[in-house]
Amino acid sequence: MENYIEGRKFLKSQWEKLSDIKSDQQKGVNPPERFLGYDENNVICLSDFSTLPTRTVLETIKKRTTKRKFKEGKIPQDKLSYLLWATQGLREDKGKYTFRTVPSAGARHSFETYLYVKGVEGLKEGIYRYIPEKHGLIFLKEKDDVLLSKALLNQTFNSQVIFFWSCIPYRMEWRYSIVSHKMIAIDIGHVCQNLYIAAESVDLGVCAIGAYSQENADKLLGLDGNDEFVVYAAHVGKA
Ligand SMILES: Cc1cc2nc3c(=O)[nH]c(=O)nc-3n(C[C@H](O)[C@H](O)[C@H](O)COP(=O)(O)O)c2cc1C
């Protein structure tokens, strides 16, 4: 039982303790950047998805299940574009913070989205990062199927693309110090739920992946494992 005490503490609210602790925001420290840097010349603009037919919310929620086997063929790029918008797309950029298609505690949005692309129309295979402020992608590196398999603890399936979400905890810690980590865990659930719902509405299937190798997933994406690390992943394929 002692093994669970730290985990249970993490799940409980510690908001009252916040009044004894000054966050960096309260100390007057400047906020961290809300986006990672990138080379503007290398941004791949994603397809328009405004005319994509989608199921109703009612039909979609009724139909949603986890899928682990997918049809052959490539995913149309407008569908991937829709999924990226639905999971991390910008609704409004307020300068110091952003509003997106998903909620986030204090609008801190501490996540980055990486894609392991195996079969998407108009995109070569490889590892990409989503650029929400441009609704585009940056190609990062070639794919590595051996490392992917290690990262996913052999849960490779035959999906066409794998979403990996990393978190940059300081974006949340700057404002919420000790309560940040529970907020981050809640936030990422909203992101993956939007993925399930959006995918189901356009005949794609999702399998959330919580059981992954931290070290190998971070290595796959080139993350330092401390200031940025993977928190969740999801397969997406043709249903
Ligand atoms: C946080 C979380 C982690 C999960 N991790 C995995 C996983 O590592 N591998 C897997 O095959 N399914 C995983 N799943 C999918 C669940 O097994 C699935 O949601 C559950 O069996 C219920 O089925 P349903 O999604 O069809 O309702 C995960 C789901 C969630 C929400």
Side-chain angles (χ1 to χ4, degrees):
M1 278 302 269
E2 307 84 68
N3 296 342
Y4 302 143
I5 288 172
E6 280 308 305
R8 287 184 182 183
K9 218 161 99 185
F10 160 82
L11 283 176
K12 293 179 184 177
S13 175
Q14 298 194 71
W15 280 84
E16 283 116 319
K17 288 193 195 142
L18 266 191
S19 49
D20 307 331
I21 300 164
K22 266 197 169 184
S23 67
D24 276 0
Q25 180 183 20
Q26 288 166 319
K27 287 180 199 156
V29 175
N30 285 333
E33 295 293 338
R34 59 211 192 293
F35 303 122
L36 288 179
Y38 58 92
D39 182 346
E40 297 244 358
N41 300 317
N42 292 339
V43 176
I44 303 159
C45 291
L46 286 158
S47 311
D48 174 45
F49 59 85
S50 55
T51 56
L52 193 62
T54 58
R55 286 200 183 83
T56 65
V57 174
L58 180 70
E59 281 176 293
T60 304
I61 293 175
K62 265 190 190 170
K63 228 179 140 292
R64 187 214 63 83
T65 55
T66 290
K67 318 278 188 308
R68 295 180 183 85
K69 278 192 186 143
F70 304 100
K71 289 183 183 161
E72 296 293 309
K74 290 191 169 186
I75 291 179
Q77 202 189 110
D78 56 353
K79 290 192 178 181
L80 179 71
S81 173
Y82 170 54
L83 299 188
L84 285 162
W85 171 81
T87 48
Q88 280 292 275
L90 281 198
R91 212 158 32 79
E92 215 181 327
D93 189 350
K94 291 282 199 184
K96 285 187 180 155
Y97 56 94
T98 57
F99 288 119
R100 304 200 186 195
T101 49
V102 284
S104 167
R108 298 309 304 152
H109 293 290
S110 59
F111 306 123
E112 294 291 332
T113 308
Y114 293 83
L115 299 179
Y116 192 98
V117 173
K118 296 187 282 177
V120 177
E121 283 172 8
L123 289 179
K124 68 169 185 165
E125 292 185 335
I127 301 174
Y128 295 79
R129 180 160 58 80
Y130 179 52
I131 309 294
E133 63 274 37
K134 297 279 179 199
H135 191 58
L137 292 173
I138 291 275
F139 178 83
L140 297 179
K141 53 178 166 161
E142 299 300 329
K143 65 190 187 66
D144 179 339
D145 290 344
V146 174
L147 191 51
L148 175 75
S149 181
K150 287 185 189 169
L152 297 179
L153 302 174
N154 300 320
Q155 303 184 95
T156 44
F157 310 148
N158 69 333
S159 59
Q160 279 85 7
V161 57
I162 302 152
F163 280 58
F164 283 92
W165 294 288
S166 74
C167 126
I168 299 180
Y170 185 65
R171 286 186 189 154
M172 191 68 81
E173 291 160 349
W174 173 78
R175 171 174 284 185
Y176 291 127
S177 67
I178 56 160
V179 303
S180 303
H181 312 99
K182 177 172 169 174
M183 297 302 112
I184 291 169
I186 295 172
D187 273 8
I188 197 61
H190 294 297
V191 176
C192 191
Q193 183 65 12
N194 265 26
L195 182 70
Y196 265 104
I197 296 297
E200 192 72 60
S201 76
V202 293
D203 291 320
L204 296 175
V206 171
C207 179
I209 298 288
Y212 66 91
S213 154
Q214 190 67 54
E215 188 187 345
N216 289 308
D218 292 342
K219 194 167 156 195
L220 180 73
L221 306 179
L223 310 180
D224 72 9
N226 188 41
D227 293 325
E228 185 179 4
F229 49 87
V230 171
V231 287
Y232 206 9
H235 286 276
V236 177
K238 284 171 82 101

